Amino acid sequence: MRTPVALLLELGVILAALSVLGTLARRFTLSPIPLYLLTGLAVGEGGIAPVPAAGEFVETGAAIGVILLLLVLGLEFSLAEFAVSMRRHVPSALVDVVLNAAPGAVAGWLLGMDGIGILALAGATYISSSGIVARLLSDLHRLGNRETPAVLSVLVMEDCAMAAYLPVLAVLASGGVWWQAILGVLTAVGAVLAAFTVSYRWGHHLGRLVAHPDDEQLLLRVLGLALVVAALAEFVHASAAVGAFLVGLTLTGETATRTRAVLSPLRDLFAAVFFLAIGLSVDPADLLPVLPAAFALAAVTLVTKVLTGRYAASRDGVGRRGKWRAGTALIARGEFSLVIVGLVGTLHDTLGPLVTSYVFILAIAGPVLTRLAPSRPGPGADARDGGPPAS
């Protein structure tokens, strides 16, 4: 089998560049995500050094990256505790929808979009990036913080909401009829509920099925299972990330610990590819005309996401600093917003560039602001700002 020389060369140069940038970012205790995004912008179509041969690999690797990020994140928590947290944060989910979908809907109306455009822009401003947030929580060592279950509950409920939202949007964008939209919603929501029920009631058997003393076998079994579950979730228009997260939640004890160890290097590689892919999908020339509107929309929804995170954290009794950390963690937008553009972007000349610019701004601003949020309780701070490591 002959491997294209251009593919090997481009991937080698990209990975070497990401290594240098990651080392530079961590030297200053920053997240490397913004630098990875800017690298993608530089090597994408219209950038200063395009890499056409590597594009297909990066696109596939990005999908795997999101799955690995959420799979490893799920390994940090127990299913029973997370189920309790989800029930507690139903009001947080409602606040999230109202505060963050409304600015997109209003912006779409002001820009003269039709109903489909307004619905699409509302979804793009509503949904945070599970992939970026998962990596941030790991990079900043906040997985054990008291506010983290609240952040994850909001993220998972957003992804579940997409199970109902995306089928409707897809049917409307393609000119389908109402019953097709309802059927899509019922199928996707039913699949998500079934997955949660199966995972909650019988998930404890999963650890015994995948456990093996050999690390290679453990890696192959867990990753294979996560990819299959993610594929099934995507098939019914649910979220692959939620499917992978549920697989991680069902693994506990020594199996979870060993799985984290064998998957972490693979996660880091494909996570870098995921962030690169976001930048790679952007043509800088398309961004300039819509930057003022994108910055205005980003400024508004940055504030509304912070308010959402603060409210969710307050329901868990988290202190002042923890509320700020929760709020800033939710700022970044990413993969789902770009999926929405893919569904309806061709129907509106403005929507695609606007959402892409908006995502890029918040995908960079989110990690920076999250890093600047207070990481530890200061003298005299509320003890609720801290917390023991997650189980």
Side-chain angles (χ1 to χ4, degrees), residues 13-23 32 35-36 39-40 269 272-273 276:
V13 171
I14 288 172
L15 294 177
L18 293 180
S19 172
V20 172
L21 293 173
T23 302
L35 296 180
Y36 292 167
T39 301
L269 169 62
V273 173
L276 180 76

Side-chain angles (χ1 to χ4, degrees), residues 143-170:
L143 291 173
N145 284 17
R146 287 191 53 134
E147 75 276 1
T148 297
V151 172
L152 294 180
S153 295
V154 171
L155 286 177
V156 170
M157 284 190 282
E158 284 183 353
D159 285 356
C160 290
M162 287 291 109
Y165 169 85
L166 289 178
V168 172
L169 185 65

Side-chain angles (χ1 to χ4, degrees), residues 99 179 198 252 254 317:
L99 288 182
W179 64 264
V198 170
T252 58
E254 182 185 357

Side-chain angles (χ1 to χ4, degrees), residues 235-303:
F235 180 74
V236 296
H237 303 291
S239 168
V242 169
F245 185 70
L246 280 174
V247 172
L249 281 177
T250 57
L251 300 178
T252 58
E254 182 185 357
T255 301
T257 302
R258 290 182 56 227
T259 302
R260 279 197 300 271
V262 299
L263 282 179
S264 291
L266 200 61
R267 174 205 61 185
D268 293 342
L269 169 62
F270 282 99
V273 173
F274 164 66
F275 303 125
L276 180 76
I278 293 179
L280 201 66
S281 66
V282 178
D283 187 339
D286 294 336
L287 304 185
L288 296 177
V290 295
L291 275 181
F295 270 111
L297 190 58
V300 172
T301 54
L302 184 154
V303 173

Side-chain angles (χ1 to χ4, degrees), residues 334-360:
E335 60 276 13
F336 264 125
S337 298
L338 297 177
V339 168
I340 291 168
V341 170
L343 289 175
V344 302
T346 57
L347 301 178
H348 300 82
D349 294 336
T350 305
L351 182 64
L354 174 61
V355 172
T356 303
S357 303
Y358 168 81
V359 166
F360 204 74

